[in-house]
Amino acid sequence: MTPSVVRTLTRAALGLCAALVASACSPSAPPPRRTGAETFAQHDFGAVNFRAMNSVAVPWKLAAAALVLDEPQGGGVSLDHLRRRLTSFGFLWPDRILGAADAVRPSPDHPLGISTGAVTPGLPPVKVTVANLGCASCHAGPSYAADGAPVPAAAWLGSPNTSLDLEAYTLAVTLALKHGLSDTPRLMAAVRTLFPETDAWEMASLRWVVAPLAKQRLRSVKEGGSPLPFVNGSPGLTNGVAALKLQSHAPYGASEAGFTSIPDLADRGFRTALLYDGAYAPHGAARWRPMERQDVTVAHRNQLAAITSFFTVPSMGQSPKAAHREIAAAQSAFEWLETRRPQAFPGPIDAALAARGAESYASRCADCHGDYAGAIDQPRLRRFPNWHGRIGTDPARAAAFTAPLTRYVAQGPYKGIMDAAPTGDYAAPLLSGVWATAPYLHNGSVPTLAQLMLLEPRAERFEVGGHRLDFEAVGVAGVADRQGVRRYPAGYAPWSRPALYDTRLPGRSNHGHEAQFQGLTVVERRALIEYLKRL
């Protein structure tokens, strides 16, 4: 610790005494017990803590005030302004939450999937409201109207947020804090305006401890640069393996471009290995094995839930030990996921064509993606083969999980819970709710099912984020401009800021899965799309 930091902390410890006396604290009542859906939507999984600010979490009130002050278009310091700013990065700030039988109420104070809480570490005696990502930041998407228009005011819990741009958010928060901390009194005044309930203890902590420490850390970050040694991706993408390497201090490759798109979470219990490459499997169980509905037992589901608690290490900056303590919460969320269904396709479906597509699916797709049965309007998965292999898709993500990561996961509290291994393969995805998960392939490189099935050429570059859906091609709506870039239809105003996906960049190739459609006629491919709308 440098002398300047010591002086700052000493000054803070002395200067906060009056604030501590003025802000007498009474013991808080234990929080009410959450349902599984509430746990999934709102639980912080223990990641709202001081340590997490070293990687993922942020000092919420400073970051929020800085974002508002650094708005390129200007505007007043208000919660509405903050809402607009965070929504531009694809965060949902909905009026209502759908997709759960039990009512889950959104917070009026922060976006869905951002957890906040006051943290009071022992020394120095500071108080700071910390914000961290939660499950619903990535795994709650907008619902859709009958014409494919997104309805971000009504979030569908467990659907993918294919507009969330964590890279843009990270860069914007970093730049805003660098600018805001250059005029700390102005920044603190904005905190007071945005959060008038902030007590003297926290205001003093922010002014004399948090702001100086943040300023010191950001000195090493170039203007417009990122505090992270890897790129998060673009709307709808994450880079979890690179984040895990950061947490584990594993060596980085020349290009950490193992991007993955966010899936729908229906029928997760049919998986026998988790992650796109099946790197995580329950300890003592076969990594790849067929599963039928009767095999999705409580014991199997709890094993998967225990593994998913480890996801908080890269995504929320947890330590494995802290993540292990959240297994019970993960099991509660997984219990709810077992009952959850995707939003039913809201647009028109050609019933006769869908029936023909069901035949093509059974003969050409089910061996990898599973058998569906039951009600014709929304069949349920009944068998999933857990197929894995290579189909010519971008290899970066499969190659990203390395031996050092295996050793990191295999030690400590998860040693007897899961087996980690680099597989080099990709696991065939579940297709429940597939219509709402565009763009497609594991890296989100193909904007529509029509392009995936080669009914149209695959776009080399396309806009994504805040998009509406094309219910005929099924996927991100767009039209190629004169340069061949697929842009949003004329007159459409995206609800979040779009980004350009470039398939020529590392980790973003749109090749692969072509051979699986050979031999199918144009009509058969269109029929297959109609059937997939029902899943």
Side-chain angles (χ1 to χ4, degrees):
M1 187 175 292
T2 65
S4 62
V5 175
V6 173
R7 287 194 296 272
T8 298
L9 298 183
T10 302
R11 181 182 183 184
L14 295 174
L16 285 172
C17 290
L20 285 167
V21 174
S23 303
C25 298
S26 58
S28 58
R33 179 176 173 82
R34 288 187 169 105
T35 66
E38 288 174 325
T39 297
F40 182 87
Q42 299 168 341
H43 185 48
D44 66 9
F45 288 87
V48 173
N49 59 64
F50 209 75
R51 176 185 177 276
M53 288 196 294
N54 290 326
S55 55
V56 179
V58 296
W60 170 241
K61 296 179 180 180
L62 280 187
L67 282 171
V68 168
L69 292 176
D70 208 44
E71 168 63 59
Q73 281 74 43
V77 178
S78 68
L79 197 62
D80 284 342
H81 189 178
L82 176 63
R83 182 173 185 155
R84 291 194 302 272
R85 192 86 211 274
L86 288 171
T87 299
S88 74
F89 305 121
F91 286 104
L92 288 172
W93 204 318
D95 299 327
R96 58 193 186 280
I97 297 175
L98 309 176
D102 299 319
V104 180
R105 294 184 177 87
S107 170
D109 301 322
H110 52 80
L112 180 62
I114 287 186
S115 301
T116 64
V119 174
T120 54
L123 289 173
V126 300
K127 179 182 181 182
V128 56
T129 300
V130 173
N132 207 336
L133 300 177
C135 300
S137 56
C138 293
H139 295 292
S143 56
Y144 289 90
D147 62 352
V151 187
W156 197 274
L157 204 60
S159 291
N161 186 348
T162 57
S163 295
L164 180 62
D165 193 341
L166 292 176
E167 179 67 10
Y169 168 70
T170 300
L171 294 176
V173 168
T174 302
L175 185 63
L177 281 172
K178 283 180 72 72
H179 291 170
L181 290 167
S182 66
D183 188 348
T184 304
R186 177 171 177 257
L187 183 62
M188 298 305 298
V191 169
R192 177 64 75 189
T193 300
L194 279 176
F195 307 103
E197 76 286 355
T198 307
D199 60 29
W201 180 10
E202 185 167 10
M203 289 299 296
S205 299
L206 293 175
R207 177 69 179 88
W208 299 111
V209 179
V210 180
L213 289 175
K215 186 183 296 186
Q216 183 192 49
R217 184 183 180 198
L218 290 172
R219 283 196 191 107
S220 62
V221 180
K222 296 180 180 179
E223 184 78 4
S226 173
L228 300 174
F230 60 88
V231 175
N232 277 299
S234 54
L237 294 183
T238 63
N239 199 349
V241 173
L244 184 60
K245 288 179 179 178
L246 176 66
Q247 292 296 110
S248 65
H249 306 291
Y252 281 86
S255 175
E256 291 295 335
F259 305 119
T260 54
S261 63
I262 304 168
D264 190 278
L265 294 183
D267 297 320
R268 291 289 108 181
F270 281 86
R271 292 287 301 269
T272 56
L274 299 181
L275 303 185
Y276 269 99
D277 56 347
Y280 298 160
H283 183 76
R287 188 174 301 275
W288 314 105
R289 66 185 188 279
M291 292 283 289
E292 298 192 11
R293 184 158 294 278
Q294 64 265 26
D295 299 320
V296 186
T297 62
V298 173
H300 174 70
R301 188 183 69 213
N302 284 344
Q303 286 180 310
L304 296 182
I307 293 175
T308 61
S309 70
F310 187 82
F311 291 3
T312 64
V313 175
S315 64
M316 303 179 192
Q318 286 274 55
S319 68
K321 184 177 180 180
H324 187 271
R325 292 194 291 265
E326 297 298 323
I327 287 177
Q331 289 173 342
S332 173
F334 235 82
E335 181 180 8
W336 166 72
L337 282 175
E338 182 63 24
T339 69
R340 179 205 165 264
R341 298 300 299 143
Q343 180 185 359
F345 185 75
I349 299 176
D350 185 319
L353 207 54
R356 184 172 178 179
E359 297 175 3
S360 294
Y361 181 89
S363 63
R364 303 294 294 266
C365 309
D367 284 347
C368 293
H369 296 289
D371 300 304
Y372 286 80
I376 190 171
D377 58 334
Q378 199 174 19
R380 296 289 305 272
L381 185 65
R382 69 173 183 84
R383 179 184 178 277
F384 189 66
N386 282 294
W387 183 91
H388 64 103
R390 305 181 189 188
I391 53 172
T393 50
D394 192 292
R397 170 58 189 84
F401 202 90
T402 58
L405 285 184
T406 300
R407 291 191 291 271
Y408 175 72
V409 176
Q411 63 188 5
Y414 284 87
K415 183 176 182 180
I417 292 176
M418 64 173 162
D419 292 324
T423 69
D425 287 342
Y426 288 115
L430 299 150
L431 297 184
S432 305
V434 67
W435 65 269
T437 66
Y440 298 104
L441 294 184
H442 76 270
N443 58 356
S445 59
V446 181
T448 68
L449 287 179
Q451 290 193 13
L452 181 70
M453 297 185 190
L454 307 177
L455 288 167
E456 305 168 5
R458 293 182 181 178
E460 185 176 68
R461 290 174 292 167
F462 60 90
E463 285 186 307
V464 63
H467 48 271
R468 66 177 290 273
L469 294 182
D470 181 329
F471 277 169
E472 182 177 350
V474 181
V476 179
V479 180
D481 65 13
R482 293 178 180 177
Q483 288 74 42
V485 179
R486 201 168 190 273
R487 303 284 186 184
Y488 292 161
Y492 175 71
W495 65 270
S496 67
R497 186 178 303 162
L500 191 65
Y501 191 108
D502 191 337
T503 64
R504 300 169 299 182
L505 297 177
R508 299 177 187 245
S509 168
N510 63 2
H511 294 297
H513 208 292
E514 298 96 349
Q516 285 71 19
F517 301 113
Q518 291 178 1
L520 289 176
T521 67
V522 168
V523 173
E524 287 172 331
R525 297 181 199 195
R526 294 199 180 281
L528 183 55
I529 290 175
E530 290 300 301
Y531 173 71
L532 291 176
K533 293 177 182 180
R534 295 194 183 279
L535 302 187

